[in-house]
Amino acid sequence: MAECGSPLEHLVCQECYDTIFSAEGWQTVMADGRTSDNPEGSGYKYTTTWSAIKKASKICNWSQVTVRYYKDTGYTPAGDKFLAVVVKGLGNGGNAAANVIKARDRITQLWTEKSFGMAKALHRQDSSILADRVIDCADSSEAKIVLTNGQIYGSYLTLSYVWGGPQPMPTTKNVDKYTTDGLEMSDFPQSIRDAVTVTGGVGQRYLRVDALCILQDSPEDKVTQLGKMHAIYKNSYLTINASRARSTHEGFLHQPRPQRKPRTTILFPCPGGTAGTVLIAYRSPWDELEPITWRGWCYQEKVLPARSLLYASDTLKYYCQTETVSIGEALCEESTGLRLPHGTYPSASAVKCEADAVRFRQSWLAALFQYTLRSITVPSDRLPAFGAVAEQFSIVSQDRYLAGLWRKTLLLDLLWTTHDRCERPKTYRAPSWSWASVNGLIRAEWRFDQLAKPQDTKDARDLRMATVVDCRVIVASPLAPYGEVTEGLLTLSGVLFRVHSDGGTAEQSITLTSGSESRAAGFIPASRDTTEDWADMLYTVPLLWSVRGSFMFGLVIG
């Protein structure tokens, strides 16, 4: 860093020093100029030539960055540019820019008392009923499982992490040992040990970990705890999100986290005529591309808690229902991760108006897409791993949940499709009309809701929809009403079309059967969601269509 107050002309050429790096020019850059009419900002503009930039790049850091960017990308993007600046070091170090620019380097040593102190300062203390079993971390070397039976108030942390690999787990045979003698921490995977350390580091005593707080050999205890997942994560004081760990044995606390590599140092004009320096760097990859992103169970563990500490690949981040910030005033990428939109958290537990209903519906479709992007190791977990999210939506809508679909919007929910042809599990998991009956990414489109409620009077007159006569599902256990199902029944009233397959292509010839006569209905696209062969005799039931023939959407039945 250069000495505070020096001109630092050697960092920039004279033209840059007189334009963008003048006090007036830089104030314009920092003011941004964003308005509702101009959300991208007016920025600061000055004109030069490419030959001048190349010539100046021999002595000017800013021109060097411009030349390197052109070589890396092959073009200079159109539109306004935005520059993120970071001051090197937590103190001002004699750099006048440190008093103006607040962003600092990322915190990379996440196990220190300083890091724990920063994390602890970001959230408030509160309490709720403790989960049925929690780990007492008062002494991290002698942690033990505590049975609360849901009768003790306090605050507890939860852990969201990628399992992977063998690990000791409590069973009906050894749980007494864990509650009396405690946990021999050296026997447990690194992510569990790290979570115990973090719990004490942020001033808390109790930690809940699925692998250690569910009796793994007891189907009864499993279904009981699965039925409480919504309350467990919603009521937790804080969730430790081991974002960067690829397995439970890898750990997340002491993993190396490189600092952002600066591209160059540039001049920063400061108030009062002084000058300092700042480092500039390119953006890092999207913060959601972490190992935990692809685990199905971790979706509800991310979106339901009120607040989380994200132990990411680059630094420690604080995540809540409104924003994400990096600990220690470090810059945080604009991509802050996906949340359940506000439509799922209204002030009262009901959808009050049409705008609420729209937000709620779009929130559900988005959540379904986000969840099915992820993978499930155990096929039967397709519904249970999403159950706590479904329960949150049910609390708001007061609607009946039917194996992944909702009674009030059932006709529209039936119009889901898969992104690619998927395998259907060999063991029954859900009725064939539910998206949970297949693997893979599910697409449920908002446009069907718009077609079902046309704004134009003529379109409304032309609209036709099938009728749901009956729909019911039987859940595997009443203790987990949003979990596994054992059977389902759907009865519709509508028009039946005969489908003639033309060799398995995407376009199918549709013929309407009416008594002894048939009438060709032309070609319509028929999406095949699974790799199964179609039966010789197929039918389709339109669920949503226009009598003018502008659209028709429905189910193919074999």
Side-chain angles (χ1 to χ4, degrees):
M1 296 294 180
E3 182 180 350
C4 172
S6 67
L8 304 176
E9 291 96 338
H10 65 280
L11 293 177
V12 294
C13 63
Q14 189 63 46
E15 184 174 1
C16 289
Y17 188 74
D18 293 337
T19 53
I20 187 172
F21 290 104
S22 65
E24 179 184 357
W26 201 253
Q27 286 174 3
T28 304
V29 172
M30 299 304 291
D32 190 37
R34 298 188 189 192
T35 65
S36 58
D37 296 330
N38 184 19
E40 293 187 349
S42 56
Y44 179 81
K45 301 177 181 178
Y46 69 102
T47 302
T48 186
T49 64
W50 180 244
S51 60
I53 292 175
K54 291 180 67 177
K55 181 178 180 181
S57 66
K58 298 177 182 179
I59 59 171
C60 175
N61 283 5
W62 180 250
S63 297
Q64 289 174 7
V65 170
T66 305
V67 172
R68 282 202 300 263
Y69 186 84
Y70 179 82
K71 288 180 178 179
D72 290 345
T73 63
Y75 68 95
T76 300
D80 297 329
K81 311 300 185 294
F82 302 101
L83 176 67
V85 290
V86 181
V87 175
K88 188 73 175 176
L90 290 176
N92 62 30
N95 190 340
N99 297 318
V100 181
I101 302 298
K102 300 303 180 184
R104 297 295 185 261
D105 285 340
R106 292 166 172 159
I107 303 299
T108 57
Q109 296 182 334
L110 309 186
W111 60 89
T112 65
E113 291 296 328
K114 188 172 186 178
S115 296
F116 288 140
M118 291 178 180
K120 189 160 53 174
L122 284 175
H123 39 78
R124 58 183 175 81
Q125 180 69 38
D126 57 8
S127 63
S128 62
I129 296 178
L130 294 179
D132 292 342
R133 298 183 190 92
V134 291
I135 303 169
D136 187 344
C137 304
D139 184 344
S140 60
S141 63
E142 297 183 2
K144 62 173 59 179
I145 295 177
V146 176
L147 305 180
T148 72
N149 297 316
Q151 301 297 315
I152 301 176
Y153 274 85
S155 58
Y156 64 94
L157 275 62
T158 47
L159 174 65
S160 179
Y161 68 113
V162 177
W163 283 32
Q167 56 183 307
M169 295 183 182
T171 64
T172 54
K173 299 179 178 64
N174 65 15
V175 67
D176 290 340
K177 173 187 175 183
Y178 289 148
T179 58
T180 55
D181 299 341
L183 309 173
E184 182 59 50
M185 294 310 300
S186 61
D187 294 338
F188 288 86
Q190 190 61 51
S191 288
I192 304 294
R193 285 182 274 169
D194 287 349
V196 171
T197 300
V198 171
T199 301
V202 297
Q204 297 300 305
R205 179 172 180 176
Y206 298 111
L207 169 69
R208 188 195 178 280
V209 181
D210 284 345
L212 298 181
C213 296
I214 299 176
L215 301 181
Q216 299 298 322
D217 65 340
S218 171
E220 295 80 8
D221 191 63
K222 280 186 177 181
V223 74
T224 298
Q225 296 305 314
L226 287 176
K228 297 180 178 181
M229 284 296 169
H230 175 267
I232 288 171
Y233 283 95
K234 284 280 290 181
N235 295 334
S236 65
Y237 166 68
L238 185 72
T239 291
I240 302 168
N241 192 288
S243 306
R244 68 146 299 146
R246 288 169 297 202
S247 78
T248 184
H249 293 277
E250 185 173 292
F252 58 88
L253 200 55
H254 296 272
Q255 295 296 322
R257 292 174 169 85
Q259 273 291 358
R260 188 196 302 259
K261 186 177 180 180
R263 295 290 292 194
T264 192
T265 303
I266 60 172
L267 180 72
F268 185 85
C270 300
T274 60
T277 59
V278 294
L279 303 177
I280 62 175
Y282 287 169
R283 281 184 176 181
S284 61
W286 186 37
D287 63 355
E288 278 292 282
L289 298 181
E290 299 276 11
I292 203 170
T293 304
W294 312 112
R295 182 172 183 254
W297 280 101
C298 293
Y299 178 71
Q300 61 186 22
E301 298 166 4
K302 177 75 177 288
V303 299
L304 289 176
R307 60 194 77 87
S308 301
L309 285 178
L310 308 185
Y311 284 83
S313 295
D314 53 358
T315 189
L316 176 60
K317 302 175 184 179
Y318 179 77
Y319 175 100
C320 67
Q321 292 300 329
T322 56
E323 63 179 329
T324 302
V325 297
S326 293
I327 300 298
E329 297 185 322
L331 277 180
C332 190
E333 306 298 332
E334 289 185 13
S335 173
T336 57
L338 300 171
R339 292 171 172 79
L340 292 184
H342 295 302
T344 53
Y345 292 96
S347 56
S349 59
V351 177
K352 294 182 176 180
C353 62
E354 183 63 25
D356 287 339
V358 169
R359 285 192 294 269
F360 176 83
R361 179 66 176 166
Q362 291 176 335
S363 298
W364 169 256
L365 299 178
L368 180 59
F369 179 85
Q370 294 164 19
Y371 168 67
T372 56
L373 270 171
R374 301 172 178 235
S375 61
I376 293 291
T377 303
V378 180
S380 60
D381 287 345
R382 180 80 154 169
L383 282 172
F386 195 53
V389 175
E391 184 172 354
Q392 176 63 36
F393 278 88
S394 178
I395 291 172
V396 176
S397 68
Q398 300 296 300
D399 200 357
R400 187 155 59 99
Y401 190 61
L402 299 164
L405 286 64
W406 299 100
R407 181 60 182 87
K408 293 178 182 178
T409 54
L410 186 55
L411 279 179
L412 302 178
D413 287 350
L414 289 168
L415 294 174
W416 58 266
T417 60
T418 57
H419 182 68
D420 295 302
R421 291 191 189 183
C422 301
E423 295 286 343
R424 195 182 298 275
K426 297 179 181 179
T427 304
Y428 180 89
R429 186 168 67 192
S432 60
W433 41 263
S434 166
W435 56 263
S437 67
V438 299
N439 301 320
L441 175 62
I442 299 299
R443 296 185 301 181
E445 300 182 48
W446 167 245
R447 67 184 176 118
F448 296 138
D449 294 73
Q450 295 174 305
L451 289 173
K453 293 184 178 181
Q455 300 297 316
D456 184 81
T457 304
K458 185 177 181 180
D459 290 340
R461 287 198 305 265
D462 294 337
L463 179 67
R464 299 293 185 271
M465 298 178 69
T467 303
V468 177
V469 177
D470 188 22
C471 186
R472 66 187 77 170
V473 297
I474 297 178
V475 295
S477 170
L479 297 175
Y482 302 92
E484 288 188 63
V485 300
T486 57
E487 59 181 276
L489 170 69
L490 172 64
T491 306
L492 299 173
S493 175
V495 182
L496 192 66
F497 287 81
R498 175 77 178 275
V499 177
H500 293 286
S501 177
D502 57 357
T505 63
E507 298 293 325
Q508 304 295 330
S509 176
I510 303 301
T511 302
L512 171 64
T513 300
S514 176
S516 59
E517 297 183 1
S518 297
R519 179 167 55 87
F523 290 88
I524 64 171
S527 174
R528 300 183 64 170
D529 296 319
T530 69
T531 56
E532 297 170 315
D533 293 331
W534 278 11
D536 294 334
M537 188 72 72
L538 294 175
Y539 298 90
T540 183
V541 178
L543 302 182
L544 178 69
W545 72 97
S546 169
V547 294
R548 286 188 292 167
S550 56
F551 63 86
M552 183 175 73
F553 300 98
L555 304 179
V556 175
I557 304 171

